[in-house]
Amino acid sequence: MGEAMKNRVKQRTFAVLLAISLCLVTQNARAEVIELHPTDTPEDAMTALEGAGPGDEVVVFPGTYRFRVYFEGAGTAAQPIVIRAADPTDRPVWDLEGDIIANWPGTYGGGDRGRAIWQITGSHYFVSGIVFMNGTDGGSGDGGGVRLKFSDNVTFHDCLFRHNDNGLQGAGTATLVEFCEFDGNGLPGSTDGSHNLYIHGGEITVRYSYIHDARRSQNFHIRANRSVFEYNWIARAFSYMGDMMPCTMENDRVPCE
């Protein structure tokens, strides 16, 4: 190889490495730590939560939060969007007691806005140390604490779901639930089935969790394409403990019942 060719190869190699370095610096510079306090206005808090991007960490301080959240952001495997309690021993609470979900403040105005306190249609979220309470539609039992709306790679760690129509419901790819508690979910007297844990599509793994005292129907009602339950404590259902069947729909983005 001639000297001129060697120089051109070196220049191109340097240019590629420089571009990669600049890209990494830009990605790292973008990641933020965002603090959320109960004294923030719902509008400011919703903007902070829903605007989080790859690598961002939303630190939620103790207190009660009373608004809906709709997550459409996309993290990555290397840079997930993290939403965590500032103090795991004093967990922040999303509590919508006193009205149906749809009537609380929220940016999302779709016809299914009353389905859950949090709805997640984005990807690569890590949620830790959050409490979800009293999410209800007030009648059919179709509301809930959190709804997975065809999400991808969402993890719930050390979260509590209490007294919602359904604690966690929906369909998502590669959902992981670990060290969580589902306590007394299910809407008493509801016309449709409501459960502590109701999954109707996608893939889910649940481990090291306490699922108990469903107030309606089962502790778990699973219709996922693939589901793994391991090392859980499951106790005292309203009807029977639970059931697990594969979703047999050809299109896994169509919920199974």
Side-chain angles (χ1 to χ4, degrees):
M1 183 184 294
E3 194 63 32
M5 179 64 73
K6 288 182 180 178
N7 288 335
R8 283 196 293 272
V9 170
K10 287 179 181 179
Q11 289 171 355
R12 289 174 182 172
T13 302
F14 176 77
V16 170
L17 291 175
L18 179 60
I20 293 172
S21 298
L22 289 174
C23 181
L24 291 174
V25 168
T26 301
Q27 287 180 342
N28 291 333
R30 187 201 183 288
E32 298 181 60
V33 176
I34 303 163
E35 292 189 357
L36 211 66
H37 297 267
T39 53
D40 295 337
T41 66
E43 291 76 15
D44 288 344
M46 285 185 284
T47 298
L49 282 164
E50 295 176 355
D56 287 349
E57 184 175 13
V58 182
V59 181
V60 188
F61 282 77
T64 301
Y65 298 81
R66 296 168 73 81
F67 55 86
R68 295 180 285 113
V69 188
Y70 196 82
F71 291 102
E72 299 180 275
T76 67
Q79 290 188 304
I81 299 169
V82 176
I83 304 169
R84 67 170 180 84
D87 180 0
T89 66
D90 189 5
R91 295 182 290 190
V93 181
W94 259 262
D95 186 353
L96 299 194
E97 185 176 20
D99 206 344
I100 62 172
I101 296 168
N103 288 345
W104 289 96
T107 61
Y108 178 61
D112 59 346
R113 64 186 180 279
R115 291 292 300 276
I117 301 171
W118 282 18
Q119 297 199 63
I120 304 175
T121 188
S123 65
H124 291 95
Y125 282 85
F126 181 87
V127 181
S128 180
I130 309 296
V131 178
F132 304 94
M133 294 182 62
N134 298 309
T136 182
D137 70 1
S140 70
D142 230 4
V146 175
R147 179 190 181 207
L148 304 173
K149 193 175 177 181
F150 310 122
S151 58
D152 180 35
N153 279 276
V154 177
T155 294
F156 298 94
H157 175 89
D158 189 32
C159 293
L160 170 61
F161 303 81
R162 175 173 286 160
H163 295 175
N164 305 285
D165 290 357
N166 299 276
L168 174 64
Q169 65 170 318
T173 302
T175 304
L176 173 60
V177 177
E178 58 182 6
F179 300 102
C180 291
E181 181 178 359
F182 296 81
D183 174 17
N185 297 287
L187 179 62
S190 60
T191 55
D192 297 329
S194 58
H195 316 271
N196 256 329
L197 181 59
Y198 181 18
I199 299 299
H200 38 80
E203 305 161 0
I204 187 169
T205 297
V206 182
R207 62 193 184 200
Y208 308 117
S209 294
Y210 184 24
I211 308 169
H212 62 100
D213 296 289
R215 297 184 300 170
R216 178 74 177 170
S217 300
Q218 292 96 58
N219 274 327
F220 62 94
H221 188 80
I222 308 299
R223 298 294 184 270
N225 296 316
R226 181 178 182 275
S227 55
V228 177
F229 273 56
E230 55 187 3
Y231 311 112
N232 301 296
W233 181 10
I234 305 172
R236 299 178 300 278
F238 177 84
S239 56
Y240 58 92
M241 202 60 67
D243 52 36
M244 185 183 298
M245 303 178 193
C247 175
T248 57
M249 303 293 289
E250 290 185 8
N251 180 358
D252 66 4
R253 299 184 76 80
V254 177
C256 296
E257 300 298 333

